[in-house]
Amino acid sequence: MHRNPVDLALSFARAGKTAQACALLADAGAQGSAEAWMQLAVWYLIGAPVARDLDQARACLAKAVAIGHVDGALMEIALLANGNGGQAAPDWPRALQALDIAAQGDPVAAAQRALLARMALRDDGTPQTTPIGEVLHDSPRLRRFPQLLTPEECAHLATTAQPLLEPSYVLDPRSGQPMPHPIRTSDGGAIGPTREDLVVRAVNLRIAAATGTDVQNGEPLTVLRYAPGQQYRRHLDTIAGAANQRMATLILYLNQGFAGGETCFPAIGVTVQPRAGDAILFDTLLPDGTPDPQLVHTGEPVRAGAKWIATRWIRQAPVDPWTIAAG
């Protein structure tokens, strides 16, 4: 009985036979296997078990799509829109044109296209109007953007991230093994470049407009789900020793109908009640570039139901999304 070439290539890769695995996939792809080209594209995108090569990844992805790989087509569209597939710059018009073609035969693409049609966007995917926030606290700055997202957009983010959700872990400094996160007890997942479909991309562009920052300075949008009893204990969003520090945080509330889960800023006496579609924005640094201790905050325990949020951490300079979220 012949083994599937992709399964065989994966076994070769696990055994350290990377060159043999790649050759097997390329040969299977040349014989018409879209899955083989797709697997090779993913390896080149994430940089394992081969060195990351975005141009090679795009070439393999194009071959998979040409044979008829539907998920590959959506991935190619995402990379076209966000510019993270080895090309010089994002190309929203071409990505939208490709989505129009995909929507003719793919219900997932059709649903994305229909949602985009209800978003007030310019020709480059940016919002037609700049969202304006209301001041919750002046210094340090804390603002709320009522109804920054529609219910459909909130649902899309949650649905997109759901397959990526996993318990929050950190590495034990003594053993090097994963251990439960001591501060955040939610399930979470980052929507990386290959999953940043045009709806997610448009949301990220809206966040950039609301925050007055470059979209490239934002980390991949991270969706968190809190079950009853889960919480995010007192913390700052800055990263110790980071050369490219987080300068601001925007939190999107994706649902309501749960109990608890307030976002509290004890040092400035502000508590935010989550409302679906709303967002809050706060700076994380003092003028001298050091973390602002007044912005310590908590996500209070959820008492009933499930709380869904999406967080965009914004850095001082552009970030490489592949180092934060692969795929």
Side-chain angles (χ1 to χ4, degrees), residues 23 44 135 140 146 198 210 244 265 278 298 304:
Y44 281 122
V135 176
L198 268 63
N244 183 13
F265 298 84
D278 283 8
T298 65

Side-chain angles (χ1 to χ4, degrees), residues 228-283:
Q230 293 185 327
Q231 62 182 305
Y232 204 158
R233 298 182 177 90
R234 288 174 63 107
H235 66 285
L236 292 170
D237 284 347
T238 48
I239 302 172
N244 183 13
Q245 189 57 267
R246 289 174 174 171
M247 59 177 283
T249 296
L250 185 135
I251 300 174
L252 292 159
Y253 299 106
L254 302 183
N255 72 321
Q256 54 195 46
F258 54 89
E262 301 87 355
T263 306
C264 297
F265 298 84
I268 59 176
V270 175
T271 295
V272 179
Q273 298 288 339
R275 297 186 311 203
D278 283 8
I280 60 171
L281 168 68
F282 52 93
D283 298 324

Side-chain angles (χ1 to χ4, degrees), residues 60-311:
C60 294
L61 189 57
K63 292 175 181 178
V65 173
I67 297 172
H69 201 291
V70 176
D71 290 340
L74 294 177
M75 183 184 294
E76 191 174 46
I77 291 167
L79 294 175
L80 191 62
N82 60 40
N84 281 307
Q87 60 188 40
D91 194 334
W92 178 273
R94 282 183 60 203
L96 191 60
Q97 184 180 40
L99 185 64
D100 284 335
I101 295 171
Q104 296 174 17
D106 177 20
V108 174
Q112 292 177 15
R113 191 64 186 88
L115 181 49
L116 284 168
R118 293 188 286 275
M119 302 168 79
L121 305 175
R122 296 192 178 97
D123 291 341
D124 60 357
T126 57
Q128 291 181 2
T129 59
T130 300
I132 303 298
E134 57 187 34
V135 176
L136 297 182
H137 196 273
D138 187 45
S139 182
R141 182 181 67 158
L142 172 61
R143 287 186 288 167
R144 174 166 51 205
F145 294 83
Q147 300 301 293
L148 186 66
L149 297 186
T150 67
E152 284 182 297
E153 293 162 357
C154 290
H156 182 84
L157 293 184
T159 301
T160 300
Q162 189 163 16
L164 307 173
L165 298 181
E166 57 184 22
S168 299
Y169 287 102
V170 293
L171 292 180
D172 186 325
R174 292 168 296 182
S175 67
Q177 299 299 311
M179 60 178 285
H181 199 297
I183 305 297
R184 187 176 72 217
T185 57
S186 61
D187 296 330
I191 303 176
T194 62
R195 293 178 181 265
E196 189 189 25
D197 60 47
L198 268 63
V199 174
V200 178
R201 179 68 175 177
V203 168
N204 283 333
L205 289 167
R206 192 181 307 168
I207 291 171
T211 59
T213 60
D214 193 307
V215 69
Q216 296 181 9
N217 289 23
E219 295 181 25
L221 196 66
T222 297
V223 175
L224 302 173
R225 179 186 61 197
Y226 294 83
Q230 293 185 327
Q231 62 182 305
Y232 204 158
R233 298 182 177 90
R234 288 174 63 107
H235 66 285
L236 292 170
D237 284 347
T238 48
I239 302 172
N244 183 13
Q245 189 57 267
R246 289 174 174 171
M247 59 177 283
T249 296
L250 185 135
I251 300 174
L252 292 159
Y253 299 106
L254 302 183
N255 72 321
Q256 54 195 46
F258 54 89
E262 301 87 355
T263 306
C264 297
F265 298 84
I268 59 176
V270 175
T271 295
V272 179
Q273 298 288 339
R275 297 186 311 203
D278 283 8
I280 60 171
L281 168 68
F282 52 93
D283 298 324
T284 58
L285 301 177
L286 293 167
D288 64 2
T290 59
D292 189 341
Q294 293 191 85
L295 268 304
V296 66
H297 56 287
T298 65
E300 292 297 289
V302 172
R303 298 192 301 273
K307 168 189 171 184
W308 288 76
I309 66 171
T311 300

